[in-house]
Amino acid sequence: MHFLSEDLEDYIAAHSQAEPPLLKQLAKETYQKVLIPRMLSGHFQGRVLSMISKLVRPNRILEIGTYTGYATLALCEGLQNEGEVHTIDIKEELQPFQRKFFDLSPYSQQITQHLGEAIHIIPTLKPGFDLVFIDADKENYIQYFDLIVPMMNRGGIILSDNVLWSGKVVEPLVPGDVSTEVLLEYNKKVNTDPRVETVLLPIRDGLTLTRVL
């Protein structure tokens, strides 16, 4: 669902920072070679992620849901010189694609890929994250959040993607639609959890910005 007209979306992109050439190439190859390319963060959202990362200046970043690595590299743009990124995905077949573009970037040695279920991998990581991006299976968003919050530094930022879910969050709930049901509960949780403060931004398919207190 387009919440804004395509003309307005094009205008917004045209009046935001230009897409870096490497990410432009990554997007092009994603559309050429990978199924469901619309899952890509894309130009405008990528620049939003980059700007937030530059404001946070994180030393440690966690990403849940790598896909082809577009958002990973956008988030890296604010990473401190000695910083590190941990990115988790369940699709083994995408790892070579991700690594190809990671190795073409200045952040190659700072990015660690993790393959498997994030629920099992997150507890094995060292605490102390400054910036987290959740963009994976919606059914587990609440579990991811509860695992992550205790591992965050004070003032750290958690970004959650697709929280408007093509507008389904304001439509009558269809029986059996687990993803929408969980997102409704998740959106309520992050807005009422006393450990954090949250604002939901109508960017693309909905992006929640949550600050750990």
Side-chain angles (χ1 to χ4, degrees):
M1 175 183 288
H2 286 271
F3 298 111
L4 299 175
S5 70
E6 290 192 37
D7 286 344
L8 271 176
E9 288 184 349
D10 290 343
Y11 182 88
I12 290 167
H15 291 79
S16 298
Q17 183 187 39
E19 187 177 32
L22 181 61
L23 288 186
K24 191 171 185 178
Q25 182 62 30
L26 191 162
K28 180 180 179 181
E29 290 195 26
T30 297
Y31 273 86
Q32 290 173 338
K33 302 175 181 178
V34 182
L35 293 173
I36 323 179
R38 63 183 177 81
M39 290 174 60
L40 194 79
S41 287
H43 177 189
F44 174 60
Q45 183 168 332
R47 293 305 87 206
V48 172
L49 297 178
S50 169
M51 182 68 75
I52 291 171
S53 185
K54 288 171 182 174
L55 291 170
V56 174
R57 295 292 295 146
N59 187 54
R60 298 184 71 233
I61 297 174
L62 172 63
E63 179 183 42
I64 305 172
T66 316
Y67 190 46
T68 56
Y70 190 103
T72 321
L73 291 175
L75 291 166
C76 281
E77 293 177 29
L79 188 65
Q80 294 186 32
N81 290 337
E82 303 301 320
E84 59 187 53
V85 177
H86 295 267
T87 184
I88 306 170
D89 206 280
I90 60 170
K91 294 185 178 179
E92 185 175 3
E93 67 274 15
L94 289 179
Q95 283 203 308
F97 187 105
Q98 299 160 6
R99 181 45 64 181
K100 169 188 171 181
F101 283 94
F102 293 164
D103 287 346
L104 289 170
S105 79
Y107 317 106
S108 174
Q109 301 303 311
Q110 297 169 274
I111 302 173
T112 300
Q113 294 164 282
H114 299 270
L115 179 64
E117 298 285 347
I119 284 179
H120 302 308
I121 293 171
I122 293 168
T124 70
L125 302 175
K126 184 178 70 174
F129 289 103
D130 306 298
L131 181 60
V132 174
F133 183 43
I134 306 174
D135 187 16
D137 53 313
K138 313 311 164 194
E139 292 87 347
N140 282 314
Y141 264 35
I142 293 171
Q143 290 92 321
Y144 295 150
F145 182 81
D146 283 332
L147 283 171
I148 288 164
V149 170
M151 301 177 70
M152 298 289 295
N153 290 326
R154 186 176 181 182
I157 298 294
I158 301 171
L159 302 169
S160 311
D161 200 14
N162 304 117
V163 290
L164 294 179
W165 208 224
S166 298
K168 292 180 183 178
V169 292
V170 292
E171 296 173 356
L173 183 63
V174 176
D177 185 352
V178 177
S179 294
T180 303
E181 186 176 3
V182 171
L183 282 172
L184 287 167
E185 186 178 348
Y186 180 76
N187 290 341
K188 181 178 180 180
K189 178 181 178 66
V190 298
N191 193 43
T192 56
D193 192 310
R195 299 173 295 175
V196 301
E197 57 183 356
T198 292
V199 60
L200 198 164
L201 306 172
I203 293 171
R204 204 161 173 249
D205 194 27
L207 182 70
T208 295
L209 192 157
T210 301
R211 177 176 174 269
V212 178
L213 301 174

